[in-house]
Amino acid sequence: MPELPEVETTRAGISPHILGKTISEVVIRQPSLRWPIPKNLKKSLKNQKITSLDRRGKYLLMGTSAGTAIMHLGMSGSFRIVKTGSQPQKHDHYDLIFGKKTLRFNDPRRFGALLWTTKPALEHALIAPLGPEPLGPEFDATYLYAQARGRKTTIKQFIMDGRVVVGVGNIYASEALFRAGIHPRRPARRVGLARMRKLVNSIREVLEQAITAGGTTLRDFSASDGSPGYFKQELQVYDRMEKPCTQCGQAIRQEVMGQRSTYYCVVCQR
DNA sequence: ACAGTAACCTGTTTGC
DNA sequence: TGCAAACAGGTTACTG
Protein backbone atom coordinates (compact mmCIF):
# COMPACT_ATOMS: atom_id res chain seq x y z
CA MET A 1 0.00 0.00 0.00
CA PRO A 2 2.14 2.84 1.17
CA GLU A 3 4.93 4.53 -0.68
CA LEU A 4 6.62 7.74 0.40
CA PRO A 5 3.60 10.04 -0.11
CA GLU A 6 1.34 7.72 1.88
CA VAL A 7 3.86 7.47 4.71
CA GLU A 8 4.28 11.25 4.70
CA THR A 9 0.49 11.69 4.75
CA THR A 10 0.39 9.34 7.73
CA ARG A 11 3.19 11.19 9.52
CA ALA A 12 1.53 14.55 9.06
CA GLY A 13 -1.83 13.12 10.12
CA ILE A 14 -0.78 11.56 13.40
CA SER A 15 1.87 14.13 14.38
CA PRO A 16 -0.44 16.68 16.02
CA HIS A 17 -2.08 13.92 18.07
CA ILE A 18 1.10 12.52 19.59
CA LEU A 19 3.86 15.18 19.59
CA GLY A 20 4.58 16.30 23.14
CA LYS A 21 2.12 13.69 24.48
CA THR A 22 3.01 10.90 26.86
CA ILE A 23 2.28 7.22 26.24
CA SER A 24 0.19 6.00 29.14
CA GLU A 25 -0.06 2.39 27.96
CA VAL A 26 1.13 0.07 25.22
CA VAL A 27 -1.04 -2.83 24.06
CA ILE A 28 0.42 -5.52 21.82
CA ARG A 29 -2.14 -7.98 20.46
CA GLN A 30 -0.06 -9.53 17.70
CA PRO A 31 3.71 -9.30 18.14
CA SER A 32 4.52 -11.26 15.03
CA LEU A 33 4.95 -8.66 12.29
CA ARG A 34 7.75 -8.47 9.68
CA TRP A 35 10.04 -8.90 12.67
CA PRO A 36 8.76 -9.72 16.14
CA ILE A 37 7.94 -6.65 18.20
CA PRO A 38 10.77 -6.60 20.79
CA LYS A 39 9.74 -7.92 24.19
CA ASN A 40 11.22 -4.90 25.94
CA LEU A 41 9.34 -2.40 23.76
CA LYS A 42 6.33 -2.09 26.00
CA LYS A 43 8.43 -1.30 29.04
CA SER A 44 10.66 1.04 27.04
CA LEU A 45 7.83 3.10 25.55
CA LYS A 46 5.47 3.34 28.50
CA ASN A 47 5.48 6.76 30.18
CA GLN A 48 7.69 8.19 27.44
CA LYS A 49 6.95 11.59 25.95
CA ILE A 50 7.04 11.80 22.14
CA THR A 51 9.58 14.45 21.19
CA SER A 52 9.67 13.96 17.42
CA LEU A 53 8.08 12.10 14.54
CA ASP A 54 10.29 11.94 11.48
CA ARG A 55 10.22 10.02 8.22
CA ARG A 56 13.22 8.37 6.61
CA GLY A 57 12.24 6.75 3.35
CA LYS A 58 9.16 4.74 4.23
CA TYR A 59 10.14 4.39 7.89
CA LEU A 60 8.59 6.48 10.64
CA LEU A 61 10.91 7.38 13.50
CA MET A 62 9.15 8.23 16.75
CA GLY A 63 11.60 9.89 19.11
CA THR A 64 11.59 9.91 22.92
CA SER A 65 14.31 10.84 25.40
CA ALA A 66 14.96 7.11 26.03
CA GLY A 67 15.19 5.93 22.41
CA THR A 68 13.38 5.76 19.09
CA ALA A 69 10.53 3.57 17.90
CA ILE A 70 11.04 2.55 14.27
CA MET A 71 7.79 1.88 12.45
CA HIS A 72 7.02 0.65 8.98
CA LEU A 73 3.66 0.21 7.26
CA GLY A 74 4.75 -2.64 4.98
CA MET A 75 2.31 -3.36 2.16
CA SER A 76 -0.97 -3.06 4.00
CA GLY A 77 -0.37 -1.17 7.24
CA SER A 78 -2.17 1.95 8.43
CA PHE A 79 -2.57 4.05 11.57
CA ARG A 80 -5.76 5.46 12.96
CA ILE A 81 -6.37 7.80 15.85
CA VAL A 82 -9.24 6.30 17.83
CA LYS A 83 -10.96 6.89 21.15
CA THR A 84 -9.20 4.98 23.90
CA GLY A 85 -11.13 1.86 24.81
CA SER A 86 -12.86 1.50 21.46
CA GLN A 87 -13.25 -2.07 20.27
CA PRO A 88 -10.25 -3.34 18.29
CA GLN A 89 -11.00 -4.69 14.82
CA LYS A 90 -9.45 -7.55 12.94
CA HIS A 91 -5.72 -7.01 12.28
CA ASP A 92 -5.41 -4.20 14.86
CA HIS A 93 -2.02 -5.41 16.10
CA TYR A 94 -0.90 -2.76 18.56
CA ASP A 95 -2.06 0.40 20.34
CA LEU A 96 -0.06 3.28 21.73
CA ILE A 97 -2.40 4.88 24.25
CA PHE A 98 -2.15 8.61 24.98
CA GLY A 99 -4.78 9.17 27.67
CA LYS A 100 -8.10 9.62 25.87
CA LYS A 101 -6.65 9.04 22.41
CA THR A 102 -5.10 5.90 21.02
CA LEU A 103 -2.80 5.45 18.05
CA ARG A 104 -3.85 2.10 16.56
CA PHE A 105 -1.96 0.07 13.97
CA ASN A 106 -3.85 -2.16 11.54
CA ASP A 107 -2.05 -4.41 9.05
CA PRO A 108 -3.73 -7.43 7.39
CA ARG A 109 -0.59 -8.78 5.75
CA ARG A 110 1.71 -8.14 8.72
CA PHE A 111 4.64 -6.89 6.65
CA GLY A 112 4.77 -3.82 8.88
CA ALA A 113 7.23 -3.38 11.72
CA LEU A 114 7.59 -1.87 15.17
CA LEU A 115 11.13 -1.84 16.53
CA TRP A 116 13.03 -0.01 19.24
CA THR A 117 16.53 1.39 19.33
CA THR A 118 18.43 3.33 21.97
CA LYS A 119 21.15 4.36 19.53
CA PRO A 120 20.68 7.23 17.06
CA ALA A 121 18.00 5.88 14.73
CA LEU A 122 19.96 6.76 11.61
CA GLU A 123 22.64 4.27 12.68
CA HIS A 124 20.16 1.41 12.93
CA ALA A 125 20.91 -1.52 10.59
CA LEU A 126 17.69 -0.95 8.62
CA ILE A 127 18.14 2.80 8.24
CA ALA A 128 21.89 3.26 7.76
CA PRO A 129 22.16 1.67 4.27
CA LEU A 130 19.35 3.79 2.82
CA GLY A 131 20.03 6.13 -0.09
CA PRO A 132 19.18 9.84 -0.13
CA GLU A 133 15.70 11.28 0.22
CA PRO A 134 14.22 11.96 -3.23
CA LEU A 135 12.96 15.37 -2.08
CA GLY A 136 16.27 16.31 -0.47
CA PRO A 137 19.27 18.19 -1.89
CA GLU A 138 21.64 15.20 -2.37
CA PHE A 139 19.33 13.58 -4.88
CA ASP A 140 20.22 15.03 -8.24
CA ALA A 141 21.09 13.94 -11.79
CA THR A 142 24.84 13.83 -11.13
CA TYR A 143 24.34 11.47 -8.20
CA LEU A 144 21.88 9.22 -10.00
CA TYR A 145 24.06 9.06 -13.11
CA ALA A 146 27.13 8.17 -11.03
CA GLN A 147 25.20 5.43 -9.21
CA ALA A 148 24.08 3.92 -12.51
CA ARG A 149 27.65 3.37 -13.82
CA GLY A 150 28.20 -0.34 -14.37
CA ARG A 151 24.74 -1.37 -13.23
CA LYS A 152 23.11 -4.11 -15.27
CA THR A 153 19.66 -3.67 -13.84
CA THR A 154 16.76 -1.91 -15.52
CA ILE A 155 16.06 1.75 -14.79
CA LYS A 156 12.81 0.84 -13.05
CA GLN A 157 14.39 -1.61 -10.64
CA PHE A 158 17.26 0.85 -10.15
CA ILE A 159 15.05 3.70 -8.91
CA MET A 160 13.09 1.29 -6.72
CA ASP A 161 16.31 0.18 -4.96
CA GLY A 162 16.27 1.82 -1.53
CA ARG A 163 20.05 2.01 -1.45
CA VAL A 164 19.97 4.21 -4.56
CA VAL A 165 17.09 6.43 -3.47
CA VAL A 166 14.38 5.85 -0.87
CA GLY A 167 10.64 6.10 -1.14
CA VAL A 168 10.04 5.29 -4.82
CA GLY A 169 7.73 2.28 -4.86
CA ASN A 170 5.93 0.42 -7.59
CA ILE A 171 3.27 3.00 -8.41
CA TYR A 172 5.46 6.08 -8.51
CA ALA A 173 8.28 4.32 -10.34
CA SER A 174 5.96 3.67 -13.30
CA GLU A 175 4.54 7.19 -13.06
CA ALA A 176 7.92 8.94 -12.89
CA LEU A 177 9.30 6.96 -15.84
CA PHE A 178 6.28 7.84 -17.94
CA ARG A 179 6.65 11.53 -17.12
CA ALA A 180 10.34 11.35 -18.00
CA GLY A 181 9.67 9.46 -21.25
CA ILE A 182 11.96 6.57 -20.28
CA HIS A 183 11.13 2.93 -21.02
CA PRO A 184 11.07 0.94 -17.76
CA ARG A 185 13.19 -1.86 -19.26
CA ARG A 186 15.98 0.44 -20.38
CA PRO A 187 19.24 -0.53 -18.66
CA ALA A 188 20.08 2.02 -15.96
CA ARG A 189 23.56 2.54 -17.44
CA ARG A 190 22.00 3.51 -20.77
CA VAL A 191 20.26 6.57 -19.38
CA GLY A 192 22.32 9.68 -20.07
CA LEU A 193 22.86 12.63 -17.77
CA ALA A 194 20.25 14.81 -19.45
CA ARG A 195 17.57 12.15 -19.13
CA MET A 196 18.62 11.48 -15.54
CA ARG A 197 17.93 15.17 -14.91
CA LYS A 198 14.48 14.71 -16.35
CA LEU A 199 13.95 11.60 -14.26
CA VAL A 200 15.00 13.29 -11.02
CA ASN A 201 12.54 16.10 -11.74
CA SER A 202 9.77 13.62 -12.56
CA ILE A 203 10.32 11.66 -9.36
CA ARG A 204 10.24 14.84 -7.28
CA GLU A 205 7.20 16.15 -9.11
CA VAL A 206 5.14 13.00 -8.86
CA LEU A 207 5.94 12.49 -5.17
CA GLU A 208 5.22 16.10 -4.28
CA GLN A 209 1.93 16.08 -6.16
CA ALA A 210 0.94 12.83 -4.49
CA ILE A 211 1.71 14.23 -1.03
CA THR A 212 -0.41 17.28 -1.81
CA ALA A 213 -3.26 14.99 -2.86
CA GLY A 214 -2.95 12.97 0.36
CA GLY A 215 -1.43 9.92 -1.31
CA THR A 216 -2.91 7.35 -3.67
CA THR A 217 -5.83 5.20 -2.62
CA LEU A 218 -5.93 2.24 -4.98
CA ARG A 219 -7.70 -0.27 -2.82
CA ASP A 220 -7.50 0.37 0.86
CA PHE A 221 -5.07 3.13 1.83
CA SER A 222 -6.53 5.78 4.10
CA ALA A 223 -5.10 8.60 6.17
CA SER A 224 -5.18 8.49 9.97
CA ASP A 225 -8.61 10.13 9.98
CA GLY A 226 -9.97 7.55 7.53
CA SER A 227 -9.98 9.80 4.45
CA PRO A 228 -8.64 8.40 1.17
CA GLY A 229 -5.83 9.82 -0.99
CA TYR A 230 -6.83 11.50 -4.24
CA PHE A 231 -3.75 10.96 -6.38
CA LYS A 232 -5.35 8.00 -8.16
CA GLN A 233 -7.08 10.53 -10.41
CA GLU A 234 -3.67 11.84 -11.50
CA LEU A 235 -2.15 8.46 -12.36
CA GLN A 236 -1.14 8.44 -16.02
CA VAL A 237 -0.14 4.80 -16.44
CA TYR A 238 -0.38 2.77 -13.23
CA ASP A 239 -3.42 0.48 -13.13
CA ARG A 240 -4.43 1.75 -16.62
CA MET A 241 -3.72 -1.33 -18.72
CA GLU A 242 -5.30 -1.12 -22.20
CA LYS A 243 -6.50 2.42 -21.52
CA PRO A 244 -5.35 5.18 -23.90
CA CYS A 245 -2.12 7.02 -23.15
CA THR A 246 -2.90 10.55 -22.02
CA GLN A 247 -0.23 11.88 -24.41
CA CYS A 248 -0.66 9.84 -27.60
CA GLY A 249 -3.68 7.57 -27.23
CA GLN A 250 -1.71 4.33 -27.52
CA ALA A 251 -2.99 1.53 -25.26
CA ILE A 252 -1.03 1.41 -21.99
CA ARG A 253 0.90 -1.80 -21.62
CA GLN A 254 1.33 -3.91 -18.51
CA GLU A 255 4.23 -6.29 -17.92
CA VAL A 256 5.79 -7.97 -14.94
CA MET A 257 9.32 -6.87 -14.07
CA GLY A 258 11.00 -8.30 -11.01
CA GLN A 259 7.67 -9.79 -9.92
CA ARG A 260 6.01 -6.36 -9.98
CA SER A 261 3.40 -5.03 -12.37
CA THR A 262 4.83 -2.33 -14.58
CA TYR A 263 2.82 0.04 -16.77
CA TYR A 264 4.11 2.15 -19.63
CA CYS A 265 3.41 3.65 -23.04
CA VAL A 266 5.38 1.98 -25.79
CA VAL A 267 5.27 5.13 -27.94
CA CYS A 268 6.09 7.83 -25.37
CA GLN A 269 8.73 5.91 -23.43
CA ARG A 270 12.02 4.89 -25.02
C1' DA B 1 29.58 -7.22 -6.29
C1' DC B 2 25.62 -7.75 -8.45
C1' DA B 3 21.13 -9.61 -10.22
C1' DG B 4 17.33 -12.52 -9.80
C1' DT B 5 14.17 -15.02 -6.91
C1' DA B 6 11.82 -16.76 -2.81
C1' DA B 7 9.98 -15.56 1.34
C1' DC B 8 7.27 -13.25 4.89
C1' DC B 9 1.26 -12.88 5.32
C1' DT B 10 -3.91 -12.21 4.33
C1' DG B 11 -7.57 -10.71 1.40
C1' DT B 12 -9.59 -10.06 -3.05
C1' DT B 13 -10.01 -10.88 -7.83
C1' DT B 14 -9.69 -13.87 -11.80
C1' DG B 15 -10.12 -18.03 -14.38
C1' DC B 16 -11.47 -22.71 -15.08
C1' DT C 1 -21.21 -21.89 -7.48
C1' DG C 2 -16.78 -23.57 -5.98
C1' DC C 3 -12.17 -23.84 -5.77
C1' DA C 4 -7.48 -22.81 -6.95
C1' DA C 5 -4.32 -19.69 -8.75
C1' DA C 6 -2.75 -15.13 -9.30
C1' DC C 7 -2.06 -10.83 -7.54
C1' DA C 8 -1.66 -6.64 -4.23
C1' DG C 9 1.22 -0.30 -2.63
C1' DG C 10 7.58 -3.49 0.65
C1' DT C 11 11.82 -5.26 1.87
C1' DT C 12 15.15 -8.71 3.39
C1' DA C 13 17.64 -12.90 2.72
C1' DC C 14 19.18 -16.26 0.01
C1' DT C 15 21.05 -18.26 -4.41
C1' DG C 16 23.88 -18.36 -8.29
Side-chain angles (χ1 to χ4, degrees), chain A residues 78-251:
Chain A
S78 62
F79 283 108
R80 295 291 298 274
I81 300 287
V82 300
K83 233 162 120 188
T84 295
S86 67
Q87 190 66 28
Q89 308 294 306
K90 200 173 185 185
H91 307 305
D92 282 343
H93 302 316
Y94 68 82
D95 289 350
L96 304 185
I97 302 176
F98 298 84
K100 291 180 195 166
K101 283 183 194 165
T102 291
L103 178 66
R104 180 164 282 171
F105 181 68
N106 181 280
D107 184 9
R109 293 179 72 181
R110 292 197 271 129
F111 291 160
L114 173 59
L115 299 169
W116 175 252
T117 182
T118 52
K119 290 188 303 187
L122 299 184
E123 292 170 22
H124 189 274
L126 291 172
I127 312 289
L130 296 179
E133 288 288 329
L135 302 179
E138 308 155 64
F139 181 63
D140 61 18
T142 313
Y143 165 82
L144 204 55
Y145 183 81
Q147 288 293 307
R149 293 313 87 209
R151 294 290 295 264
K152 280 216 141 150
T153 192
T154 63
I155 188 67
K156 187 195 180 217
Q157 282 159 303
F158 179 68
I159 60 172
M160 286 180 70
D161 183 341
R163 290 161 307 186
V164 173
V165 58
V166 295
V168 183
N170 201 38
I171 296 179
Y172 301 115
S174 280
E175 291 300 312
L177 287 168
F178 173 78
R179 283 161 171 76
I182 301 172
H183 195 293
R185 282 200 195 276
R186 172 169 286 272
R189 71 221 277 210
R190 296 278 176 253
V191 180
L193 187 57
R195 303 186 84 202
M196 283 298 193
R197 196 162 288 130
K198 221 169 168 186
L199 181 56
V200 163
N201 289 338
S202 298
I203 290 172
R204 287 224 184 91
E205 200 177 278
V206 75
L207 293 178
E208 274 165 5
Q209 287 174 6
I211 291 170
T212 302
T216 299
T217 296
L218 221 48
R219 290 163 191 85
D220 53 7
F221 172 76
S222 63
S224 55
D225 60 359
S227 62
Y230 295 102
F231 196 69
K232 181 170 164 48
Q233 298 158 255
E234 321 290 327
L235 295 178
Q236 314 262 308
V237 288
Y238 191 88
D239 211 21
R240 294 195 65 242
M241 176 165 57
E242 301 293 309
K243 299 210 169 116
C245 170
T246 54
Q247 293 298 304
C248 74
Q250 174 78 30

